[in-house]
Amino acid sequence: MRPGLQRGEDGSLYWEEVALEAIAARFGTPCYVYSRAVLEANWRAFGQALEGRPHLVCFAVKANSNLAVLELLARLGAGFDVVSGGELERVLRVGGDPARVVFAGVGKSRAELERALEVGIRCFNVESGAELERLEEIAAAHGVQAPIAPRLNPDIDAATHPYIATGLRDSKFGLERRQALHCYRHAAAAPHLRPIGLACHIGSQVLDLKPFRETLKYLLQLADKLRAEGLEVEHLDCGGGLGIRYRDEQIPATAELGRALGAVLDESKTPHPELLLEPGRAVAGPAGLLLTRVEYLKETTAQRFAIVDAAMNDLLRPALYNAWHEIVEVRAPDPNVLAKPEQTWEVVGPICETGDLLGSGRRLRPAPGALLAVLDTGAYGAVMASNYNSRPRPCEVLVDGTEARLVRRRETTEDLWRTEPHPPKAPGRKHN
Ligand SMILES: *Cc1c(COP(=O)(O)O)cnc(C)c1O
């Protein structure tokens, strides 16, 4: 069983102290449910892993940008890694400290750069020479100095899904070594730029420590070279990417990551720079689940389908990355049902796409009306939800001990066309 999840004596699942059945009854389905305790424990593990060394942990907002989630982390003194102006505004909205914000992304717009300069973020992780030029021009126009760290593409294989590998040579992310060095030297000489660090992010759902060690070694070696030229390097940002156990993956604990990075630092002769990490999935992923109800069972000569009320618009990962999420029955089947053999089911949503699948070949004993929980969906779940097939996006609920509170209401039908000009309703017309 996952941290925070337990089966009560009545055979039904509890997330912290709250029955998932009670949450479904109160808020409806589909519904994302987050556990404060799991989120905070995962967050604290990073600070503990780097204890005794200068460090800053920046939560990757794109993994879960719900204001309630960000607020909990901001209260714990979190830094934040943002990849858009919208994410920056969310951080500011919950009182997050801009001096602990790093800003990555290959396509930062003029407006985004201006706003981030205005609020005084910690660092711009620069991904191209053209971006550096634009930033310098804006900083000069405002008479300020922009703190920057070139984001390097180290050509390190994170051995993950191609869509979430970002550190390979042919990827759109980061700068090659030569260009990054050039950016750093240029920034050091430019009155409106201040180079403060070097950054990397090699990919997501990384399953072992080797790529992290290699990344840090790569950054240290570059920092040594810059220092030999008389240029200071205050921090090294190793990005995010630590994986989580969705199925049976063997994932190093956060503490092991800390020890591995610490060992690399201790081996280097140069003064230790501050270490930055940008975890998203490892903090938020295991802290969320998606509750969904079985609408219909449908058997064909080829397959058994459990058709549920959540779909790829609510949780895109299985359709987009062929990702595997454990799916469990919220109420353990009663003994009569348990006596029957388990069968394998395709758990699918109502959307008109064959790819609309939450899980394939699952051993379940589903019944119409039964509740299922799709686990480890706290990261890249709700944030990727869309209105495809004109489906209102699901609600989000935060559980804290015995309490459950709505942290995003379910969208209504009206919400679907809120941003579209539309004719007033024709009076008197009957809709049958
Ligand atoms: C997505 C992203 C992260 C977070 O990745 P996780 O795998 O969720 O830890 C960190 N840094 C950058 C620049 C990212 O784009």
Side-chain angles (χ1 to χ4, degrees):
M1 205 47 80
R2 300 291 197 277
L5 261 190
Q6 48 194 328
R7 257 193 211 287
E9 282 167 14
D10 56 353
S12 113
L13 268 187
Y14 286 68
W15 199 204
E16 299 196 22
E17 309 294 316
V18 185
L20 290 176
E21 282 181 328
I23 290 178
R26 185 167 155 207
F27 301 105
T29 54
C31 168
Y32 278 100
V33 196
Y34 308 126
S35 157
R36 174 180 180 174
V38 177
L39 180 83
E40 293 193 346
N42 292 345
W43 169 256
R44 287 204 170 93
F46 278 89
Q48 286 158 3
L50 299 177
E51 217 173 292
R53 298 180 185 277
H55 70 270
L56 175 65
V57 185
C58 297
F59 175 66
V61 174
K62 76 171 187 288
N64 188 321
S65 58
N66 187 287
L67 293 179
V69 167
L70 299 182
E71 188 178 24
L72 287 177
L73 296 176
R75 280 205 205 136
L76 297 178
F80 295 95
D81 160 48
V82 303
V83 292
S84 75
E87 288 188 352
L88 175 60
E89 296 304 331
R90 283 180 173 272
V91 169
L92 298 173
R93 182 74 185 73
V94 300
D97 180 2
R100 292 169 178 249
V101 169
V102 298
F103 191 173
V106 296
K108 301 179 194 80
S109 71
R110 202 168 279 280
E112 287 175 324
L113 292 172
E114 269 175 357
R115 177 66 173 150
L117 260 183
E118 179 195 10
V119 303
I121 66 163
R122 158 79 184 244
C123 191
F124 293 85
N125 290 352
V126 170
E127 306 221 15
S128 68
E131 179 193 334
L132 190 67
E133 230 173 87
R134 182 185 269 185
L135 180 60
E136 183 176 0
E137 184 195 304
I138 295 171
H142 290 74
V144 294
Q145 220 180 25
I148 67 117
R151 172 172 174 184
L152 281 124
N153 182 334
D155 195 19
I156 289 173
D157 189 357
T160 186
H161 189 283
Y163 287 9
I164 52 176
T166 53
L168 290 171
R169 198 168 45 176
D170 57 0
S171 115
K172 70 175 176 181
F173 297 100
L175 289 154
E176 287 176 341
R177 181 190 150 90
R178 202 173 48 82
Q179 300 167 317
L181 287 170
H182 177 75
C183 279
Y184 211 93
R185 293 178 189 127
H186 172 80
H192 295 288
L193 296 173
R194 191 162 59 87
I196 59 171
L198 297 169
C200 256
H201 170 71
I202 54 168
S204 203
Q205 186 59 8
V206 179
L207 303 180
D208 84 296
L209 295 174
K210 189 162 166 254
F212 291 108
R213 267 194 228 106
E214 283 180 16
T215 299
L216 182 54
K217 280 182 194 162
Y218 180 86
L219 291 179
L220 274 168
Q221 191 240 336
L222 232 63
D224 282 348
K225 179 164 177 56
L226 288 165
R227 281 186 180 141
E229 297 176 20
L231 301 176
E232 207 34 60
V233 180
E234 295 167 29
H235 78 237
L236 298 181
D237 180 346
C238 290
L242 184 62
I244 64 171
R245 183 174 195 150
Y246 285 107
R247 190 173 192 177
D248 50 12
E249 301 92 334
Q250 293 297 323
I251 310 283
T254 304
E256 288 176 59
L257 174 64
R259 275 194 290 277
L261 295 178
V264 172
L265 282 177
D266 290 341
E267 279 164 22
S268 83
K269 313 165 287 297
T270 47
H272 292 181
E274 184 177 4
L275 198 58
L276 268 60
L277 288 180
E278 305 169 347
R281 188 189 310 270
V283 173
L289 56 81
L290 174 64
L291 270 183
T292 181
R293 207 177 275 286
V294 177
E295 293 277 10
Y296 300 103
L297 299 180
K298 171 172 171 174
E299 301 195 31
T300 70
T301 49
Q303 297 272 34
R304 288 181 204 91
F305 295 99
I307 301 165
V308 299
D309 63 4
M312 64 187 278
N313 75 297
D314 304 299
L315 177 65
L316 185 59
R317 289 182 25 80
L320 182 62
Y321 307 124
N322 200 19
W324 197 95
H325 284 274
E326 184 161 338
I327 301 177
V328 296
E329 279 139 336
V330 168
R331 175 161 290 275
D334 66 44
N336 294 336
V337 179
L338 272 177
K340 292 196 219 159
E342 270 182 329
Q343 298 167 316
T344 59
W345 293 83
E346 303 299 291
V347 181
V348 301
I351 280 184
C352 300
E353 297 262 356
T354 302
D356 180 24
L357 182 82
L358 297 182
S360 177
R362 301 311 173 89
R363 302 195 73 81
L364 294 166
R365 297 181 180 86
L371 272 180
L372 300 177
V374 187
L375 304 186
D376 305 310
T377 49
Y380 308 107
V383 286
M384 284 188 167
S386 78
N387 291 123
Y388 189 37
N389 277 212
S390 282
R391 289 168 49 87
R393 282 177 294 177
C395 62
E396 293 168 61
V397 169
L398 180 70
V399 162
D400 182 5
T402 57
E403 306 283 319
R405 128 178 113 88
L406 190 66
V407 293
R408 175 189 224 117
R409 69 164 170 80
R410 183 181 309 287
E411 283 180 330
T412 62
T413 311
E414 290 283 325
D415 288 330
L416 291 177
W417 52 73
R418 202 181 37 203
T419 52
E420 299 166 46
H422 52 279
K425 260 190 212 152
R429 175 126 22 101
K430 287 255 163 50
H431 295 279
N432 290 319

